[in-house]
Amino acid sequence: MINNLVKENIKSLVPYEVKECETVAKLDANENNNVDYLLNQKIAKALMGLKVNQYPDNDCCELRRILGKQVRLSPQQLMIGCGSDQIIALILQAFIGEGDKILVHTPTFGMYKISTQIVGGTTIEVPLGEDFAFDYYNFVKVMRKEEPKVVFLTNPNNPTGGVIPREQIIKIIEYSNGIVVIDEAYVEFYGETTMDLVNYYPNLIVLRTLSKGYGLAGARVGYAAASKELMGILYKVKPPYNVSNLSQLAAKVCLENKDVLDRVIQEIVAERDNIALQLSEIPDIKVYKSHGNFLLCRIGKAKEVYQYLAEHKVLVRYFGEEGPLKGCIRITIGTKEENQLVIKLLMEALGATKEIAV
Ligand SMILES: Cc1ncc(COP(=O)(O)O)c(C=O)c1O
C-alpha cells in the first residue's frame, strides 16, 4: 500500500549504499588519512567553549568571513552546506522541476543524477572521450541541443581524475543559457581554480568541500560561491541551522591550520604521482592520470583483485563489470604505509613478480 503513495520519480531510486566493514586501510572514499591526529587534537581543545545547548549560527557568519578572505569574495557570495552534497541538492531544488534537464559528463560523481531524479528532473549524460578525456565539442553540441537549466562540470573529475582546460570551461559558461556549476571538490590536489570567475559570470556556481584535501569528511562541511543574485536564490531553499556548531567549529580549526594542511596536501600530491608510477609498472594495470587524491586503475581481473584486497581488510572502490568503468577500481591515496600495502597486495593478487623501484 505504501508503495502506491510514493512519487513515481522516487520509486526506482536505490538508497545510497556505503560498505561498512573493519579495515586496516580505508581507501574507498577519497578521504584524507594523513591528517586525523592533527585535527582531532586541535578540535578537542577548541570544543570546550562550545554551547551545544544552543542552535548553531544559521548563516555560518564566521566561517564565511574566513573563507571570503581566502577566496577573495564577499561573505554574501558564499553559502556553507552540510557537505557539498547538500548544496548540490539545494541548487537542484531551486532550479530543477518536472521536465527540466541537467547536463553532466559521464562517468562522474553520482549525486548530481540522484538529486536530479529526486526533484523530478532529467539528467542528460555526455560520455567522456578516449582515456576519459573531456569531450568538449560533443559536450557543447549536446548543450546547445538540449538547453539544460543546470550544467555540472567536475574539475578534477571523480572517479577519473581528469581535468577540463580553463578556456573550455569559460566557453561553456558563456555559451550556456542556464546555471553552470564547477565542482572543485579536489581542487587542492590540482591547484587550478575557477573561483576568480565568480565575479564575472552571474550564472556560475563554484562548489568546494572540506571533506577531501582538508581532511574533514566526518564534519560534513562544503561551500558554494556565486554572484550575490544567484546566492540570494540559493538562500531561499537553505534549511535553517543546516551546519551544526560542532561542524562549524571543526571547519574553523581546519581553516586556521591551512598552512599545515597545505603541506600535507603537497605530500599527498607527490605520493600520488609516485604511486601512479609504481602501479603502472605492474603488468595488467592501466593507471589513468589523476589530478585528485585518488587513482583510477583498469585491471584485468578487477573483481578478484577487489575481493583479495577486501579479504586483507583493504577497502577500495570497485565499479563492477558494466559500463565505461567496467574492470576499474579507484584507490584513494592514503598514508605511505597504506599505499605500500595496496601495492604489495595488488602484486600478490595479480601474481606479479617484477621489482618496482620505490
Ligand atoms: C566531485 C565530488 N563532489 C562532491 C562530493 C561531496 O562531498 P561532500 O558532500 O563530502 O562535501 C564528492 C564526494 O566524494 C565528490 O567526489
Side-chain angles (χ1 to χ4, degrees):
M1 182 280 235
I2 293 175
N3 205 39
N4 294 335
L5 304 173
V6 180
K7 291 188 329 193
E8 275 313 310
N9 52 315
I10 305 298
K11 277 188 184 159
S12 62
L13 276 175
V14 244
Y16 193 88
E17 202 192 329
V18 177
K19 283 247 168 343
E20 298 289 355
C21 56
E22 196 197 318
T23 54
V24 290
K26 188 177 176 310
L27 304 173
D28 63 329
N30 300 342
E31 293 146 334
N32 181 343
N33 292 355
N34 292 270
V35 297
D36 54 347
Y37 66 93
L38 171 100
L39 288 180
N40 284 355
Q41 279 177 6
K42 301 206 179 217
I43 292 168
K45 216 169 145 200
L47 264 178
M48 296 314 288
L50 198 70
K51 292 187 177 144
V52 278
N53 60 312
Q54 294 181 355
Y55 283 108
D57 170 5
N58 179 48
D59 297 321
C60 301
C61 293
E62 194 169 5
L63 269 188
R64 287 195 299 149
R65 189 182 49 74
I66 300 172
L67 279 170
K69 274 196 187 145
Q70 287 184 8
V71 299
R72 295 175 189 204
L73 292 172
S74 82
Q76 292 105 297
Q77 290 175 282
L78 298 172
M79 176 189 278
I80 316 291
C82 175
S84 48
D85 274 347
Q86 183 180 47
I87 305 186
I88 293 168
L90 294 181
I91 295 168
L92 295 164
Q93 271 180 45
F95 293 102
I96 299 293
E98 202 71 44
D100 292 331
K101 295 173 198 162
I102 72 151
L103 184 69
V104 299
H105 47 79
T106 183
T108 190
F109 183 53
M111 285 312 292
Y112 314 129
K113 191 173 179 180
I114 294 172
S115 297
T116 298
Q117 187 172 341
I118 291 173
V119 295
T122 305
T123 301
I124 313 286
E125 297 173 280
V126 180
L128 293 173
E130 211 185 325
D131 284 343
F132 300 123
F134 182 63
D135 188 348
Y136 170 74
Y137 293 101
N138 199 23
F139 196 86
V140 170
K141 198 173 101 193
V142 177
M143 185 170 84
R144 288 198 158 129
K145 178 165 169 263
E146 300 284 349
E147 302 228 308
K149 271 182 142 184
V150 182
V151 171
F152 284 94
L153 297 174
T154 316
N155 197 42
N157 189 33
N158 171 21
T160 62
V163 290
I164 307 171
R166 183 180 165 92
E167 319 78 70
Q168 295 184 357
I169 294 178
I170 291 176
K171 283 191 185 141
I172 289 169
I173 302 169
E174 288 180 351
Y175 295 160
S176 161
N177 293 322
I179 306 296
V180 178
V181 183
I182 316 289
D183 186 341
E184 295 192 347
Y186 300 95
V187 71
E188 294 86 8
F189 306 101
Y190 175 40
E192 280 190 37
T193 179
T194 47
M195 193 58 94
D196 56 299
L197 301 177
V198 165
N199 275 332
Y200 297 96
Y201 295 103
N203 61 335
L204 171 64
I205 301 175
V206 176
L207 269 186
R208 297 255 184 102
T209 178
L210 300 193
S211 299
K212 309 297 179 185
Y214 289 120
L216 212 62
R220 310 297 296 118
V221 181
Y223 64 100
S227 63
K228 283 187 192 158
E229 185 193 356
L230 190 32
M231 262 305 150
I233 295 162
L234 291 185
Y235 270 95
K236 290 188 186 192
V237 290
K238 183 187 93 63
Y241 310 124
N242 59 324
V243 184
S244 80
N245 53 9
L246 293 149
S247 299
Q248 292 188 38
L249 178 137
K252 189 171 162 253
V253 169
C254 179
L255 295 172
E256 282 168 353
N257 287 279
K258 194 175 173 306
D259 293 357
V260 187
L261 292 169
D262 284 341
R263 276 201 293 280
V264 174
I265 289 163
Q266 289 323 308
E267 282 163 23
I268 295 172
V269 168
E271 178 76 355
R272 172 195 71 203
D273 296 342
N274 177 24
I275 298 299
L277 203 66
Q278 293 185 42
L279 287 174
S280 64
E281 289 183 10
I282 302 177
D284 295 335
I285 298 189
K286 175 175 168 114
V287 188
Y288 294 92
K289 171 81 185 151
S290 171
H291 297 267
N293 64 336
F294 52 85
L295 291 165
L296 185 73
C297 305
R298 204 182 288 276
I299 305 183
K301 296 178 201 151
K303 191 168 184 191
E304 287 87 336
V305 169
Y306 168 74
Q307 277 164 350
Y308 187 79
L309 292 175
E311 277 161 25
H312 290 80
K313 297 194 168 57
V314 171
L315 195 59
V316 297
R317 180 77 193 270
Y318 166 56
F319 292 99
E321 290 305 319
E322 271 168 43
L325 290 169
K326 64 173 179 279
C328 287
I329 61 168
R330 188 194 64 202
I331 308 167
T332 304
I333 300 300
T335 61
K336 283 200 161 62
E337 295 72 32
E338 289 172 334
N339 303 334
Q340 287 312 315
L341 178 62
V342 175
I343 292 189
K344 176 177 155 282
L345 292 172
L346 280 173
M347 289 176 68
E348 282 173 17
L350 292 165
T353 49
K354 194 163 175 259
E355 276 295 314
I356 291 173
V358 180

Coordinates of all heavy atoms in Angstrom, one line a residue, residues 14 21 28 80 86 120-121 128 131 137 147 160 191 196 227-228 231 234 261 330 336 343 349 356:
V14 N 17.5 3.7 -5.6 CA 18.1 2.8 -4.6 C 18.8 3.6 -3.5 O 19.6 4.5 -3.9 CB 19.1 1.7 -5.2 CG1 18.6 0.3 -5.1 CG2 19.5 2.1 -6.6
C21 N 32.8 -2.0 6.9 CA 33.5 -3.2 7.4 C 34.8 -2.8 8.1 O 35.2 -1.6 7.9 CB 33.8 -4.1 6.2 SG 34.7 -3.3 4.9
D28 N 38.5 3.9 0.0 CA 37.4 3.8 -0.9 C 36.6 5.1 -1.1 O 35.7 5.2 -1.9 CB 36.4 2.7 -0.5 CG 35.8 3.1 0.9 OD1 36.5 3.7 1.7 OD2 34.6 2.7 1.1
I80 N 27.5 28.0 3.2 CA 28.1 26.8 3.8 C 27.0 25.7 3.8 O 25.9 26.0 4.2 CB 28.6 27.0 5.2 CG1 29.4 28.3 5.3 CG2 29.5 25.8 5.7 CD1 30.7 28.4 4.6
Q86 N 24.9 18.6 0.1 CA 23.6 19.4 0.4 C 23.5 20.5 -0.6 O 22.3 20.8 -1.0 CB 23.7 19.9 1.8 CG 22.4 20.6 2.2 CD 22.4 21.1 3.6 OE1 23.3 21.8 4.1 NE2 21.3 20.8 4.3
G120 N 12.6 15.4 -9.7 CA 11.8 15.1 -10.9 C 12.4 15.5 -12.2 O 11.7 15.5 -13.2
G121 N 13.6 15.9 -12.2 CA 14.3 16.3 -13.4 C 14.9 15.2 -14.2 O 14.9 14.0 -13.7
L128 N 32.6 10.8 -21.7 CA 33.9 11.3 -21.8 C 34.6 10.6 -23.0 O 34.1 9.5 -23.4 CB 34.7 11.1 -20.5 CG 34.3 11.9 -19.3 CD1 35.0 11.4 -18.0 CD2 34.5 13.4 -19.5
D131 N 40.3 7.5 -23.0 CA 41.0 7.6 -21.7 C 40.4 8.6 -20.8 O 41.0 9.3 -20.0 CB 42.5 8.0 -21.9 CG 43.3 6.8 -22.4 OD1 42.8 5.7 -22.3 OD2 44.4 7.0 -22.9
Y137 N 33.8 19.3 -27.7 CA 32.9 19.6 -28.8 C 31.6 18.9 -28.7 O 30.5 19.5 -29.0 CB 33.6 19.3 -30.1 CG 34.8 20.2 -30.3 CD1 36.1 19.8 -30.0 CD2 34.6 21.5 -30.7 CE1 37.2 20.7 -30.1 CE2 35.7 22.4 -30.8 CZ 36.9 22.0 -30.5 OH 38.0 22.9 -30.6
E147 N 19.5 22.4 -24.2 CA 19.3 23.6 -23.4 C 19.0 23.2 -21.9 O 17.9 23.5 -21.4 CB 18.1 24.3 -24.0 CG 18.3 24.8 -25.4 CD 18.0 26.2 -25.6 OE1 16.9 26.6 -25.2 OE2 18.8 27.0 -26.1
T160 N 37.6 9.7 -12.4 CA 38.6 9.5 -13.4 C 39.9 10.3 -13.1 O 41.0 9.9 -13.5 CB 38.1 9.9 -14.8 OG1 37.8 11.3 -14.8 CG2 36.9 9.1 -15.2
G191 N 45.3 22.5 -8.0 CA 45.9 23.8 -8.0 C 45.2 24.9 -8.9 O 45.4 26.0 -8.6
D196 N 38.0 32.7 -9.4 CA 38.2 34.1 -9.8 C 37.1 34.5 -10.8 O 36.9 35.6 -11.1 CB 39.6 34.3 -10.4 CG 39.9 33.3 -11.5 OD1 39.8 32.1 -11.3 OD2 40.1 33.8 -12.7
S227 N 27.5 34.7 -7.7 CA 27.1 36.1 -7.6 C 26.1 36.3 -6.5 O 25.4 35.3 -6.1 CB 26.5 36.5 -9.0 OG 25.3 35.7 -9.2
K228 N 26.0 37.5 -6.1 CA 25.0 37.8 -5.0 C 23.6 37.5 -5.4 O 22.8 36.9 -4.6 CB 25.1 39.3 -4.6 CG 26.3 39.6 -3.7 CD 26.3 41.0 -3.2 CE 27.7 41.3 -2.7 NZ 28.0 42.7 -2.6
M231 N 23.2 33.7 -5.2 CA 23.3 33.3 -3.8 C 21.9 33.6 -3.1 O 21.4 32.8 -2.4 CB 24.3 34.0 -3.1 CG 25.6 33.2 -2.9 SD 25.3 31.6 -2.1 CE 26.6 30.7 -2.9
L234 N 19.7 30.8 -3.8 CA 20.0 29.5 -3.1 C 19.6 29.7 -1.6 O 19.2 28.7 -1.0 CB 21.5 29.2 -3.2 CG 22.0 28.8 -4.6 CD1 23.5 28.4 -4.5 CD2 21.2 27.6 -5.1
L261 N 47.9 22.1 6.7 CA 47.2 21.2 5.8 C 47.7 21.3 4.4 O 47.8 20.3 3.7 CB 45.7 21.5 5.9 CG 45.0 21.1 7.2 CD1 43.6 21.7 7.3 CD2 45.0 19.6 7.4
R330 N 39.1 2.3 -8.0 CA 39.6 3.6 -7.6 C 40.3 3.5 -6.2 O 39.6 3.0 -5.3 CB 38.5 4.7 -7.6 CG 39.0 6.1 -7.4 CD 37.9 7.0 -7.1 NE 37.3 6.7 -5.8 CZ 36.1 7.0 -5.4 NH1 35.3 7.7 -6.1 NH2 35.6 6.6 -4.2
K336 N 51.7 6.6 3.6 CA 52.7 5.9 2.9 C 52.6 4.4 3.1 O 52.7 3.6 2.2 CB 54.1 6.4 3.3 CG 54.5 7.7 2.7 CD 56.0 7.9 2.7 CE 56.4 9.0 1.7 NZ 55.9 10.3 1.9
I343 N 50.0 -1.7 -2.9 CA 50.8 -2.2 -4.0 C 51.2 -3.7 -3.8 O 51.2 -4.5 -4.7 CB 52.1 -1.3 -4.1 CG1 51.6 0.1 -4.6 CG2 53.1 -1.9 -5.1 CD1 52.6 1.1 -5.0
A349 N 47.9 -10.3 -5.8 CA 46.7 -10.7 -6.4 C 46.9 -11.0 -7.9 O 46.2 -11.9 -8.4 CB 45.6 -9.6 -6.2
I356 N 59.9 -3.3 -8.3 CA 59.4 -2.0 -8.6 C 60.3 -1.0 -7.8 O 60.6 -1.1 -6.6 CB 58.0 -1.8 -8.1 CG1 57.1 -2.6 -9.1 CG2 57.6 -0.3 -8.2 CD1 55.7 -2.6 -8.7

